[in-house]
Amino acid sequence: MDATLSGTADPALVSARKPAGRVSDPVFVGILWGSGIFVLILLGLIIAMLFEGGLPALQEFGISFLWSTTWNPVTEVFGAGVMVFGTIFSAVIAVIIALPLSFGIAFFLTEIAPGALRRPIGVAIQLLAAIPSIIYGMWGFFVIVPLMAAYVQPPLIDLLGPLPVIGALFQGPPLGAGMLTAGLIMAIMILPFITAMFVEVLESVPPMIKESAYGVGATTYEVYRNVSVPYGRTAMVGAVMLGLGRALGETMAVTFVIGNATRMSASLFAPGSTIASTIANEFPEAAPGSLKLQSLLELGFILFVISFIVLALSRLLVRSKLKG
């Protein structure tokens, strides 16, 4: 009787397979180890390059380089204060704009939208994520900036500018380009990422829980607020932090619409600069070994540190919510 049909393996075949297994398994495990270690080595090399390249600038200007608002290539006096402020300020604006929109779109797709409309809107959101950032920048420069200068900023300046405290956010000439415009463009860019994760989270809520809430008389809004959001809040925090990290490192789109001015202002309409846009604008003109190039490398290291802090905070928030 055939060995396969009888349920017993041929000893010759087993002995032939063992040497191949003894060789292939250690090789496979070694490849896996190499892949994991490669990521750590690559990350370490990037950090070392940025730190070593920017260290002379830090030694030249001291720790005040981090908050100094002077950036003058003529006198070779550089500081990162304006760029750090612009990076964080514009990214926070983007998250503030994108967060409620993402909540609304995700809830509409998961609870309200009919099946015939759900798929086209979902595809449209995915297409927004596929648009290159330079296209967003060009669209923002030629379309959004003129609209902001003509129809959005002037009424906001007249209405809110004279108010105490918050009025400082809405003062200045209506140039179109500025922090608010940059935040708006970045909000559109990070919207697909946050929305996609929100949709996955809301769809993972067990239907029985929502049906129980509806059964005791809860409205659609109450189910959304008291059932769906609390159930997936941990993943939602991660989605928001992912969007914030995406906004912090955005380069080309911001460069088109932020105004690229190396000065700090509390106004949402004032032109400014981010770390990424400054590196993109100034790097081609920085001579090898110059203090300007070293300052740009130090800016890159600072951006890496900021991104790492955001990632660490997101993990801390997620962990605290899991414990809670």
Side-chain angles (χ1 to χ4, degrees):
M1 181 181 294
D2 188 279
T4 304
L5 296 177
S6 64
T8 59
D10 189 347
L13 294 177
V14 174
S15 61
R17 281 197 294 263
K18 282 184 178 179
R22 292 194 187 99
V23 174
S24 61
D25 190 65
V27 171
F28 179 69
V29 172
I31 292 175
L32 296 181
W33 272 94
S35 300
I37 294 175
F38 172 76
V39 175
L40 297 177
I41 294 176
L42 181 61
L43 182 62
L45 289 175
I46 293 175
I47 296 173
M49 184 274 294
L50 292 174
F51 179 77
E52 183 182 1
L55 185 59
L58 194 62
Q59 293 173 338
E60 175 71 20
F61 303 110
I63 194 66
S64 62
F65 176 85
L66 301 177
W67 56 78
S68 173
T69 58
T70 302
W71 186 272
N72 193 334
V74 177
T75 59
E76 290 196 332
V77 177
F78 303 102
V82 174
M83 295 76 180
V84 173
F85 171 79
T87 299
I88 297 175
F89 193 24
S90 59
V92 170
I93 293 173
V95 172
I96 291 175
I97 296 174
L99 184 57
L101 291 175
S102 298
F103 267 121
I105 295 172
F107 185 62
F108 175 76
L109 291 177
T110 55
E111 298 292 339
I112 300 176
L117 192 60
R118 187 177 304 168
R119 181 173 179 82
I121 294 179
V123 172
I125 293 174
Q126 294 175 0
L127 289 177
L128 285 177
I131 298 176
S133 61
I134 193 171
I135 302 301
Y136 278 111
M138 295 172 63
W139 174 70
F141 181 79
F142 289 109
V143 178
I144 302 301
V145 168
L147 290 177
M148 294 288 288
Y151 301 106
V152 178
Q153 294 180 355
L156 289 177
I157 292 173
D158 295 336
L159 181 64
L160 302 177
L163 296 179
V165 185
I166 65 170
L169 297 173
F170 303 95
Q171 293 178 354
L175 302 175
M179 286 291 179
L180 181 60
T181 307
L184 177 61
I185 296 299
M186 286 195 295
I188 299 174
M189 295 181 66
I190 67 177
L191 182 69
F193 300 97
I194 301 178
T195 302
M197 294 190 67
F198 279 3
V199 169
E200 291 184 6
V201 171
L202 295 176
E203 288 180 342
S204 67
V205 179
M208 184 179 299
I209 300 179
K210 294 190 292 185
E211 291 171 0
S212 300
Y214 284 123
V216 297
T219 63
T220 303
Y221 170 74
E222 290 172 339
V223 171
Y224 178 65
R225 177 182 178 182
N226 300 321
V227 177
S228 299
V229 173
Y231 183 87
R233 61 184 178 182
T234 298
M236 288 180 175
V237 170
V240 173
M241 289 300 179
L242 176 64
L244 179 60
R246 175 73 173 83
L248 286 172
E250 178 51 44
T251 305
M252 293 310 301
V254 174
T255 303
F256 273 90
V257 298
I258 200 171
N260 300 305
T262 54
R263 59 178 179 269
M264 188 183 300
S265 174
S267 176
L268 294 171
F269 306 144
S273 184
T274 66
I275 294 177
S277 65
T278 300
I279 293 175
N281 284 323
E282 304 280 350
F283 199 85
E285 302 174 359
S290 64
L291 188 59
K292 182 178 182 180
L293 179 60
Q294 295 164 354
S295 300
L296 292 174
L297 291 174
E298 185 63 23
L299 284 179
F301 180 75
I302 294 172
L303 180 59
F304 177 87
V305 172
I306 294 174
S307 301
F308 177 80
I309 292 174
V310 170
L311 177 61
L313 287 176
S314 66
R315 294 181 65 88
L316 182 63
L317 289 172
V318 170
R319 186 175 302 174
S320 64
K321 290 183 179 295
L322 285 174
K323 290 180 179 180

